[in-house]
Amino acid sequence: MEISNKKAFSTLNPNKIWIPVLIGLAISVWLFLSDDHVSVENLQVLLQPLSVFSLVLAVIVILFRDAGYIYRIRTLTGKSLSWTSSFYVIILWEFSSAVTPSVVGGSAVAVFILMKEGLSFGRALAYVMLTAILDNLFFVVFAPLVIVLAHGSIFDGITTDALGKSLPVIFWTSYSLIAIYTLVMSFALLVHPRGFKWLLLKITSWGFLRRYRARANKQGDEMILGAKELIGKPATYWFKVVLATVFVWVARYLMLNAVMGGYVLLSIKEHLFIFGRQLIMWIVMLISPTPGSSGTAEYFYGLFFQHFLGEFTFGTSLLWRLLAYYPYLFLGAVFLPRWIQKVFFDRKKGNQK
């Protein structure tokens, strides 16, 4: 994994926030013009007292979620990071994920950030890989569960156009790729890293794949290095990080439930159904080619929740993205200069004393 200052800061670039903003704005304008249900009256409802309460509740849920992320990264690193450093890591990690396509993610930048916070390459790599595995396992375990609990009706009520009909195929394709990737990465990091390296070298000994042999050897060494950092961790360590993972993802989805509850009356069963549908939608969005799924998220939101929200679909989609996505673009732009001052200049001055 090549991680240089230049490469990392090409992603951690505040100027990049305008790309997803413009994409999201363009899609939102198109959705506004193409939706006959949107009117000034139902947009004004977004500011009614009940709606304001639901927004406050949604913000509280987001704060709990972010607190869970901060707790998880500090626990993952064995408290090697201070609470302040953990805050910076999460904000910048979210920022890097927001300005890169979902299919790419911000893992390399996350390793860079952790290294600048004082962790060795091996530890940083291990923690970032473990985080990815835990997050993917949440989807792999809970997605089929919600489909079973919904008795196969999780896709009911979605638009009947060509894309709407193909959503189950898109979902199962994405799910299969994520499941395979997670299985391979779990085996490589937690079970048999040397066996994984042997497999990589074996595969890259065939024909045209030989050109990738040096890279495979390096990736195998990195996997072994990362695995060494996780050997011997106590059961309490795994319990805490798994519980924190479930907490942050549940909180992430409950935020939208809180927003929707301010505009339409939902039963407990419907709340659970919407929670499950969010999980399905998130897996579909993971293959989005746009930064932070910008545009893709707004479009799929309408497909998945028009059935429940009716005339409030467009307005709540704006609120959803304004609460769950755009803040991290601007928080990253605000805190990035402070983090650079902290890790590149303040720490250097401290070492010189």
Side-chain angles (χ1 to χ4, degrees), residues 12-75:
L12 293 172
N13 183 352
N15 292 326
K16 284 194 170 185
I17 68 174
W18 301 112
I19 298 174
V21 168
L22 291 175
I23 294 174
L25 182 61
I27 295 297
S28 295
V29 169
W30 176 73
L31 291 173
F32 176 83
L33 295 176
S34 60
D35 190 343
D36 296 333
H37 296 96
V38 179
S39 66
V40 175
E41 289 74 18
N42 61 44
L43 287 178
Q44 287 177 337
V45 173
L46 302 180
L47 300 178
Q48 289 185 359
L50 178 60
S51 305
V52 171
F53 172 78
S54 72
L55 293 180
V56 171
L57 181 60
V59 170
I60 292 173
V61 173
I62 290 174
L63 293 176
F64 272 105
R65 185 203 72 171
D66 289 343
Y69 273 128
I70 292 169
Y71 169 82
R72 184 175 70 163
I73 194 62
R74 191 164 187 263
T75 303

Side-chain angles (χ1 to χ4, degrees), residues 295-309:
T296 307
E298 289 85 349
Y299 180 77
F300 277 113
Y301 181 93
L303 292 182
F304 275 87
F305 300 115
Q306 173 77 35
H307 176 70
F308 296 96
L309 296 168

Side-chain angles (χ1 to χ4, degrees), residues 155-271:
F155 293 102
D156 290 355
I158 296 176
T159 54
T160 57
D161 60 16
L163 183 57
K165 291 180 179 179
S166 66
L167 278 177
V169 176
I170 296 174
F171 164 75
W172 284 115
T173 300
S174 301
Y175 177 86
S176 299
L177 293 173
I178 293 169
I180 293 171
Y181 171 81
T182 304
L183 180 63
V184 171
M185 295 302 292
S186 299
F187 172 81
L189 184 65
L190 304 175
V191 180
H192 204 324
R194 293 190 181 278
F196 176 72
K197 179 183 177 180
W198 176 86
L199 182 61
L200 285 180
L201 293 176
K202 193 70 174 177
I203 292 174
T204 52
S205 66
W206 302 335
F208 72 95
L209 294 176
R210 289 177 183 172
R211 70 182 70 178
Y212 303 108
R213 191 171 179 80
R215 187 183 302 177
N217 184 64
K218 185 176 181 180
Q219 290 180 343
D221 288 339
E222 290 175 353
M223 192 67 69
I224 293 171
L225 186 63
K228 288 180 179 178
E229 300 297 332
L230 299 174
I231 295 175
K233 295 292 185 184
T236 53
Y237 173 87
W238 296 106
F239 176 78
K240 289 177 181 178
V241 296
V242 169
L243 189 63
T245 299
V246 174
F247 175 84
V248 297
W249 282 106
V250 169
R252 180 187 287 269
Y253 296 140
L254 285 180
M255 182 277 291
L256 183 54
N257 283 72
V259 170
M260 289 183 178
Y263 306 99
V264 292
L265 184 62
L266 298 169
S267 66
I268 294 177
K269 183 179 179 180
E270 287 173 326
H271 270 293

